Amino acid sequence: MNVPFLDLSKPEAPWLQRLDEAAVKVIHSGRYLHGAQTDRLEQRLKGLFSTQEAVGVSNGLDAIRLIIASYLHMGRLHEGDEVAVPANTYIASVLPITEFNLKPLFIDVETSGYNMNLELLEKKITSKTKAVMLVHLYGTPVWDARLMHSMRDKGILIIEDNAQAIGAHAPTPGFNGATATGGLGDASALSFYPTKNIGALGDAGAVATSDKELAATVRTLANYGSDRRYHNITEGYNCRIDELQAAFLNVKLDYLNDILESRARTARIYCGNIDNPAVTTPVYMTDRRQVWHQYVIRTDRRDELKAFLAQKGIGTDIHYPCPPYAQPCYRGVFKTDCKVADRLSGEILSLPIAAVDEEAALYVCETINSFR
Ligand SMILES: *Cc1c(COP(=O)(O)O)cnc(C)c1O
């Protein structure tokens, strides 16, 4: 049997015809930016995250950049401030921190959800820590209402990198009273990169927040710093979402629950059937809704297992083989002591999770169980 890690054409099959129709409609509309599709997408995202505002933007990295640039512009962050960030995240969570001359404070992670260790966060923050970037990695929510309220009381901004967790729910309510990730903290960034749980057919992203001033600043900065046409109140960027991508996303959001349920079904098969003493499976949590952007196992014989599975026709991937602070672009820049993240990067392995049918999932389990 052949189980590719991810074949993007397969999961798109059920709604291909609607994508075709949506594209034709936009092509003939004569409106390619800032139109009805973007408005509709923003309305739907507000509903999904229970936020007052949502702003469609060019991609997930730009969503994070715009949040940070806006907080700088608003005087809520200043150059040199520290931003706590999990040690095992994708580099996109870190690049906007260093780009704007803020300092990442790397917090080591825990092994039940592979997320930021919140007890450690509480110990590691200093008087210079002005924001925390929570990353719901692999689709597992990280949130502790008591701790986040106490951070907020200290004037620390809580930013969520929700790129991997659209549709996830935390175990306790966020600042707005609801539990959807992306609406928990002060502001959140969303990515619609094609491999994400809801992917565009190209790049797209969004910022969600209930802070009207932040949302207005993001909109302004994303559109050349102009509050109205040919009136630039600040030096901005071009980080707009286009109507075509918004139209595709409006189709795919109709299938959000189907997509998440299909991933959860596969995760349950893996959790219930992988049984090999050399392999640790992720925790299927009952107190929160995980959305299984990745299903990540770990083993100290990772490279061997990866090669074994490849030989049996099973594709895998590694998220991520190197922590951001150890990437060549940052070599020698940070002093870190993140032993868990360092160790995990050599042990983790992502199994196929998108549009995997039961037969294929069981074959993956059997094959892992036969690994000696
Ligand atoms: C994908 C991703 C991003 C960036 O999103 P893009 O749309 O690719 O720019 C940021 N953070 C995390 C955790 C991601 O997985």
Side-chain angles (χ1 to χ4, degrees):
M1 198 188 283
N2 205 40
V3 190
F5 177 69
L6 180 62
D7 170 7
L8 276 180
S9 66
K10 195 171 154 202
E12 303 293 345
W15 46 81
L16 266 186
Q17 197 185 336
R18 287 194 55 201
L19 293 179
D20 287 345
E21 290 161 8
V24 169
K25 222 170 125 183
V26 172
I27 291 165
H28 290 268
S29 74
R31 184 91 192 208
Y32 307 116
L33 289 163
H34 288 167
Q37 294 293 340
T38 300
D39 286 347
R40 173 134 190 272
L41 177 66
E42 291 177 348
Q43 290 302 329
R44 295 179 78 171
L45 293 177
K46 285 198 287 189
L48 206 57
F49 302 132
S50 308
T51 53
Q52 299 290 315
E53 297 287 338
V55 185
V57 300
S58 36
N59 57 60
L61 173 65
D62 283 347
I64 303 171
R65 291 176 73 223
L66 287 162
I67 291 170
I68 293 199
S70 297
Y71 278 137
L72 284 160
H73 185 77
M74 292 158 66
R76 301 281 304 273
L77 286 176
H78 299 91
E79 279 198 13
D81 286 350
E82 259 173 23
V83 181
V85 60
N88 62 343
T89 188
Y90 183 54
I91 197 165
S93 324
V94 181
L95 288 172
I97 299 174
T98 57
E99 177 188 354
F100 292 106
N101 298 317
L102 302 163
K103 292 204 174 87
L105 174 65
F106 291 101
I107 307 292
D108 209 355
V109 298
E110 43 77 31
T111 51
S112 68
Y114 304 121
N115 270 322
M116 181 189 275
N117 181 331
L118 295 180
E119 281 169 29
L120 206 59
L121 168 70
E122 206 170 3
K123 286 193 199 118
K124 292 260 173 170
I125 55 163
T126 72
S127 58
K128 294 203 194 105
T129 311
K130 299 298 179 204
V132 175
M133 175 103 59
L134 294 175
V135 183
H136 308 293
L137 202 69
Y138 310 145
T140 294
V142 54
W143 182 258
D144 174 329
R146 183 203 58 81
L147 178 63
M148 293 306 141
H149 277 280
S150 87
M151 300 261 164
R152 184 193 225 187
D153 291 344
K154 293 187 179 104
I156 297 173
L157 295 162
I158 308 296
I159 302 167
E160 295 172 78
D161 177 343
N162 195 37
Q164 302 191 0
I166 186 169
H169 284 266
T172 50
F175 297 154
N176 66 2
T179 55
T181 66
L184 299 169
D186 294 295
S188 75
L190 193 67
S191 165
F192 299 112
Y193 182 72
T195 65
K196 299 289 154 79
N197 288 14
I198 293 288
L201 308 186
D203 275 315
V207 171
T209 181
S210 291
D211 179 338
K212 300 257 178 198
E213 184 190 357
L214 176 67
T217 310
V218 166
R219 267 187 212 286
T220 299
L221 287 180
N223 192 28
Y224 290 104
S226 51
D227 59 345
R228 57 192 152 85
R229 210 155 173 245
Y230 304 131
H231 188 257
N232 304 82
I233 54 171
T234 178
E235 292 169 274
Y237 315 97
N238 176 353
C239 300
R240 297 179 295 234
I241 190 172
D242 56 70
E243 281 284 287
L244 210 44
Q245 296 306 337
F248 293 145
L249 292 167
N250 282 323
V251 170
K252 290 182 70 173
L253 278 172
D254 287 344
Y255 301 92
L256 176 62
N257 277 319
D258 299 339
I259 291 169
L260 301 187
E261 191 39 52
S262 152
R263 286 171 178 263
R265 214 178 302 126
T266 303
R268 283 193 293 270
I269 295 174
Y270 287 160
C271 284
N273 293 278
I274 294 175
D275 183 12
N276 184 326
V279 171
T280 306
T281 54
V283 180
Y284 198 106
M285 298 179 181
T286 51
D287 68 338
R288 65 198 73 190
R289 186 188 194 192
Q290 295 161 292
V291 291
W292 302 102
H293 175 59
Q294 301 297 348
Y295 185 94
V296 178
I297 59 171
R298 64 182 206 271
T299 166
D300 49 21
R301 294 163 62 202
R302 194 264 314 278
D303 295 345
E304 247 181 284
L305 177 59
K306 187 174 184 11
F308 175 79
L309 293 175
Q311 212 178 36
K312 304 281 184 186
I314 299 169
T316 57
D317 205 341
I318 300 168
H319 302 91
Y320 300 91
C322 174
Y325 49 78
Q327 289 290 349
C329 65
Y330 288 138
R331 195 158 287 159
V333 175
F334 307 113
K335 268 222 315 264
T336 56
D337 179 25
C338 301
K339 294 196 176 64
V340 180
D342 288 336
R343 178 165 52 81
L344 283 176
S345 65
E347 295 183 351
I348 50 177
L349 189 64
S350 306
L351 302 182
I353 189 73
V356 178
D357 61 27
E358 187 176 344
E359 193 191 353
L362 287 170
Y363 172 68
V364 172
C365 298
E366 258 168 53
T367 311
I368 291 174
N369 295 348
S370 72
F371 174 66
R372 288 286 169 265

